[in-house]
Amino acid sequence: MIARTNGTPISITGLGCHVPERVLDNAELSTIVDTNDEWIVERTGIRERRIAAEDEALTDICLPAARRALEMAGADPASIDLLIVATVTPDMAFPSSSALIADTLGMPHAAAYDLSAGCTGFVYAIAQAHGMLSAGLAKRALVVGGDVLSTILDWTDRSTLVLFGDGAGAVVMEPVARGGFLGFELGADGGGGANLWLPGSGSRKFAEPEKYVKMNGREVFKFATRVMVSSAEAILGECGRTVADIDVYVPHQANVRIIDHAAKKLGIPQEKTVVNVEKYGNTSSGSIPLALADAADDGRLVPGKLVLLTGMGAGLTWGSALIEWTHPTTGAAA
Ligand code: UT7
């Protein structure tokens, strides 16, 4: 799917993020599996990640992020009439994590549901919220992206354990006078799904069900380097913009090598590229909103700036959004 937006401008008016307290650095990881700081930093750029406590589930991490986003937007929770939570690690299959969050925050008028699109979940969710808002089906939306991947990782598998972390981010979206989202490009290739999957986690029976994430890292790497570029080029073309117009590039934070490759191929300079993978690892659906919040902290998200978001992940899925920033956003750091 690719389209430029039309009709009422819709934008992000509030932004927040949250990560668990516990820091797991590469040195500690190398006491758990056969790895070392040098390998992890050289191959991924990751130095540390956050890990949820035993009693912390997805909604515990999403709630502080959501509260910050609402506060920044000056939005009463009761005014939210749409809540989408993008995740692959909900508290449980049902009720949805979004229904639980809506209840805790006091959103009696909100349609609330979870959305699963792997690490691209947040980009899919903001596109959905945009559609509902611009069609007039909702007036003010809260979109949360978050994951607690530490609960579905094999803590004996060094090839996946070192890559991922836990975290969440949230945005409030609503109609604005001008600017806001210019367009979206979203895609999926289920044929490549087995390169990053959790067979046995649903109704399909497998002879050898897995409890933990399985990944063919090299294939996902090839896929990632391809779609991070093609998706960004597609949305820029659709919206009549060029790479030179981009002020802030917020790529999915999976691996600094993937980010560097995409930025170089696209011709986006380092100073415009947001990178925080070194402190959080890959937080899946939390990755892009966490990076957005870091960009806000740095003072980079000011009204009038053109921001490109591009994600990719399980599905396999990918997606980009182009937004002209409209609202002053202050640091929303964890
Ligand atoms: O949101 C999407 C999520 N997934 C991704 O983005 C993953 C994309 N893929 C990648 O980022 C990279 O493929 C990895 C970081 C997963 C792996 O990097 P690589 O440069 O492709 O390494 P490799 O898989 O080719 O492995 C090279 C070597 C192997 O040893 P041998 O066979 O050459 O002796 C691995 O066994 O590195 C070894 N290795 C490790 N060594 C130390 C694999 N994992 C580790 C580790 N520590 N954690």
Side-chain angles (χ1 to χ4, degrees):
M1 180 222 95
I2 183 162
R4 70 162 80 186
T5 59
N6 56 23
T8 314
I10 310 287
S11 194
I12 290 172
T13 58
L15 168 65
C17 73
H18 181 74
V19 289
E21 287 282 320
R22 189 186 163 212
V23 177
L24 175 60
D25 65 15
N26 291 348
E28 189 182 347
L29 253 189
S30 55
T31 67
I32 301 170
V33 287
D34 180 16
T35 190
N36 55 76
D37 179 61
E38 196 188 347
W39 190 96
I40 302 171
V41 172
E42 194 184 303
R43 304 286 179 127
T44 72
I46 301 166
R47 293 183 184 275
E48 57 186 44
R49 69 286 293 142
R50 300 298 184 99
I51 302 294
E54 259 315 293
D55 60 353
E56 240 175 347
L58 180 80
T59 56
D60 302 317
I61 295 170
C62 292
L63 279 164
R67 287 195 178 99
R68 283 196 181 101
L70 289 164
E71 196 184 322
M72 189 179 295
D76 180 348
S79 70
I80 297 292
D81 52 6
L82 173 66
L83 168 56
I84 308 175
V85 175
T87 190
V88 294
T89 49
D91 285 18
M92 56 197 93
F94 53 88
S96 66
S97 293
S98 46
L100 297 173
I101 290 173
D103 180 56
T104 306
L105 292 178
M107 299 176 172
H109 312 296
Y113 60 95
D114 293 356
L115 180 156
S116 162
C119 301
T120 323
F122 181 76
V123 181
Y124 267 67
I126 54 176
Q128 283 225 332
H130 189 285
M132 298 272 259
L133 289 162
S134 69
L137 295 178
K139 293 184 182 62
R140 184 179 264 164
L142 176 66
V143 176
V144 185
D147 270 305
V148 193
L149 285 187
S150 63
T151 57
I152 55 166
L153 289 178
D154 179 350
W155 282 67
T156 65
D157 176 8
R158 68 178 183 178
S159 71
T160 49
L161 184 63
V162 304
L163 302 175
F164 298 100
D166 303 333
V171 293
V172 172
M173 289 171 56
E174 58 195 313
V176 293
R178 66 186 71 80
F181 287 95
L182 304 181
F184 296 92
E185 196 265 345
L186 303 173
D189 170 18
N195 287 316
L196 180 48
W197 69 336
L198 191 44
S201 55
S203 57
R204 173 76 56 206
K205 292 201 170 38
F206 285 81
E208 292 173 31
E210 297 284 352
K211 279 203 279 198
Y212 306 116
V213 175
K214 290 283 152 196
M215 184 176 72
N216 180 341
R218 284 185 198 180
E219 283 307 312
V220 178
F221 192 93
K222 278 194 258 172
F223 160 78
T225 48
R226 180 165 47 83
V227 297
M228 292 296 288
V229 175
S230 59
S231 180
E233 286 177 344
I235 195 60
L236 285 168
E238 179 72 15
C239 296
R241 303 295 176 113
T242 67
V243 166
D245 298 330
I246 297 171
D247 296 303
V248 186
Y249 173 43
V250 185
H252 172 46
Q253 307 287 311
N255 182 330
V256 81
R257 282 158 59 210
I258 295 172
I259 296 172
D260 286 349
H261 175 277
K264 199 165 165 206
K265 197 97 195 204
L266 288 164
I268 302 175
Q270 233 175 2
E271 61 272 16
K272 291 185 176 179
T273 305
V274 180
V275 181
N276 68 2
V277 68
E278 72 282 359
K279 54 180 183 174
Y280 299 132
N282 180 348
T283 54
S284 184
S285 302
S287 155
I288 287 183
L290 271 166
L292 260 181
D294 264 12
D297 267 351
D298 294 348
R300 297 204 228 182
L301 295 182
V302 292
K305 296 286 182 198
L306 190 68
V307 183
L308 169 67
L309 316 178
T310 301
M312 58 81 197
L316 298 170
T317 55
W318 64 90
S320 286
L322 201 56
I323 173 171
E324 189 185 308
W325 208 258
T326 50
H327 279 58
T329 34
T330 53

